[in-house]
Amino acid sequence: MQKFWRVLKGLLFSKGNKEFLIFLSFLALSGVFWLFMTLNETYEREFSIPVTITNVPKNVVLTSDETDTVRMTIRDKGITLVTYMYGIYGDGLKNLRINFSSYARNNGMGIVSAAELQKMVYQQLASSSQIVAVKPEKLEYYFNYGAKKRVPVRWSGRVIPDELYFISRVQYWPDSVDVYASTEKLDSINTMYTEQLNYANFRDTLFVNVHLARGKGVKTVPDMVKVGFFTDVLTDEEIEGILIQGINMPPGKVLRTFPSRVTVHFVAGASVYKNLTYEDFTVVADYKEMKASPSEKCRIYLKNAPPGISRARLSVDAVDYLIEEDQSGL
């Protein structure tokens, strides 16, 4: 150990190292001097200050957030601003607490002006500090007395699976939420949509936890839902034997087509296709069109198709036909 200290002493107090230590000392002193001069200059800095609504009556429901934020730009010497930033000589800038009844109005809204907000903050500042800007210009909060409405949830945005897949089903947890707002707003709200989603090129079932996109003065319970996008593999399929039906036929007339049944081609998921039958589709020919444009063939249309399929098309778009007397009533 003594040998170690002798070596260390020799290193520190050798002529070269003494000069280095002197250099470090002057460097540290100059750094302290520079810092002192810098902090003595006047600066402006923006501070974000949380604002909390307090003493809310039990029969009142806040339909805006209980805690908001105001941003204030304060001008003072650097050393003072540092104390606000880090709370060196206290807790820094404390949260503002707004008494509910002091600013609530009868229209379900409370407004705190920028002047009132500055007055509250000035109580925490040194006498040399000056507030030069406030954002927003006023703080607003909304409330009602329990009026609510239950509405369904729907997703919003862009959700596109991989090219060979499609969304066969969407499920929500929960599928409905309670909405609190003014009577006027409740009357206009029939669905609550999620914030914009953006997902693409996925194959497996996608689960997303997302906030609801509520407007100003609107509160939802809960404010977040889980959405499940269930995927299925796309396949080209067809269903045969779909009967062609005549519509707008005059009394006593019946339509006969050749062929009487057709095939529909479509794209669907495997789970959807296995439950389909020809009775799920409706193909028609319109008598009014035949009468307006007489021809040897009549056009046929796919009138109804079940949900969960896409790009449905008929194997033919026109067939031979006859208009006959209806013998069924004889």
Side-chain angles (χ1 to χ4, degrees):
M1 180 63 68
Q2 292 180 352
K3 182 178 180 181
F4 169 77
W5 286 112
R6 284 199 301 269
V7 172
L8 180 61
K9 183 178 180 181
L11 289 174
L12 290 177
F13 295 100
S14 64
K15 182 178 180 180
N17 286 335
K18 284 182 180 179
E19 294 176 353
F20 180 68
L21 289 174
I22 293 172
F23 168 77
L24 287 180
S25 299
F26 279 104
L27 181 63
L29 287 173
S30 62
V32 170
F33 180 75
W34 173 85
L35 180 62
F36 176 80
M37 294 296 295
T38 300
L39 293 178
N40 203 43
E41 295 290 333
T42 299
Y43 299 94
E44 291 183 2
R45 181 178 177 85
E46 184 179 85
F47 293 84
S48 294
I49 307 173
V51 180
T52 303
I53 309 300
T54 63
N55 299 322
V56 180
K58 292 183 178 180
N59 64 331
V60 169
V61 177
L62 283 179
T63 57
S64 54
D65 293 332
E66 293 183 5
T67 301
D68 207 335
T69 301
V70 294
R71 301 189 306 278
M72 294 194 180
T73 302
I74 301 174
R75 177 188 296 155
D76 206 333
K77 293 185 181 298
I79 186 63
T80 305
L81 296 179
V82 168
T83 63
Y84 298 153
M85 293 167 57
Y86 302 107
I88 296 175
Y89 299 112
D91 298 327
L93 293 180
K94 298 179 182 179
N95 297 359
L96 300 182
R97 301 175 66 84
I98 305 297
N99 186 51
F100 173 86
S101 59
S102 298
Y103 302 95
R105 301 180 179 180
N106 293 330
N107 61 353
M109 181 179 178
I111 299 178
V112 187
S113 67
E116 289 287 342
L117 294 170
Q118 288 186 65
K119 182 178 179 181
M120 297 176 193
V121 174
Y122 266 126
Q123 295 176 4
Q124 305 181 41
L125 301 181
S127 59
S128 58
S129 298
Q130 180 183 3
I131 299 174
V132 296
V134 181
K135 299 177 184 178
E137 295 181 355
K138 59 184 176 181
L139 181 73
E140 300 176 342
Y141 60 91
Y142 298 83
F143 61 93
N144 71 10
Y145 294 94
K148 66 178 181 178
K149 181 179 183 180
R150 192 158 186 85
V151 299
V153 175
R154 294 293 180 268
W155 69 275
S156 177
R158 176 179 175 270
V159 181
I160 304 174
D162 192 74
E163 184 177 4
L164 298 178
Y165 291 74
F166 81 111
I167 298 172
S168 61
R169 178 168 59 95
V170 179
Q171 189 169 346
Y172 304 88
W173 297 273
D175 60 2
S176 300
V177 295
D178 289 326
V179 180
Y180 294 83
S182 64
T183 302
E184 295 78 8
K185 288 185 178 180
L186 284 179
D187 290 340
S188 64
I189 297 175
N190 296 309
T191 304
M192 283 304 300
Y193 290 93
T194 67
E195 293 181 343
Q196 292 290 306
L197 300 176
N198 187 15
Y199 295 91
N201 301 323
F202 60 94
R203 296 186 176 186
D204 297 329
T205 299
L206 174 66
F207 294 102
V208 180
N209 292 313
V210 58
H211 285 283
L212 295 173
R214 54 190 181 90
K216 183 181 291 187
V218 177
K219 178 180 181 178
T220 62
V221 178
D223 64 351
M224 175 178 282
V225 297
K226 180 179 180 181
V227 186
F229 297 92
F230 295 83
T231 58
D232 201 353
V233 180
L234 283 173
T235 58
D236 288 314
E237 302 291 352
E238 64 180 37
I239 295 287
E240 299 177 346
I242 303 172
L243 181 66
I244 301 174
Q245 305 175 34
I247 59 173
N248 298 317
M249 299 298 296
K253 300 292 184 180
V254 64
L255 173 68
R256 301 198 184 280
T257 62
F258 308 93
S260 61
R261 296 176 181 270
V262 291
T263 299
V264 62
H265 301 271
F266 54 88
V267 174
S271 62
V272 173
Y273 172 70
K274 68 180 181 181
N275 295 316
L276 295 178
T277 69
Y278 66 88
E279 296 177 343
D280 295 316
F281 300 85
T282 303
V283 177
V284 299
D286 191 344
Y287 176 80
K288 290 183 178 180
E289 184 178 312
M290 302 176 212
K291 186 177 180 181
S293 303
S295 175
E296 293 181 356
K297 293 180 178 289
C298 66
R299 294 190 62 82
I300 59 175
Y301 303 93
L302 180 62
K303 183 179 180 182
N304 292 319
I309 72 169
S310 61
R311 294 184 289 215
R313 65 193 186 282
L314 296 172
S315 55
V316 294
D317 58 7
V319 294
D320 296 322
Y321 72 98
L322 288 176
I323 304 295
E324 298 181 343
E325 296 294 330
D326 188 2
Q327 303 296 323
S328 60
L330 297 180

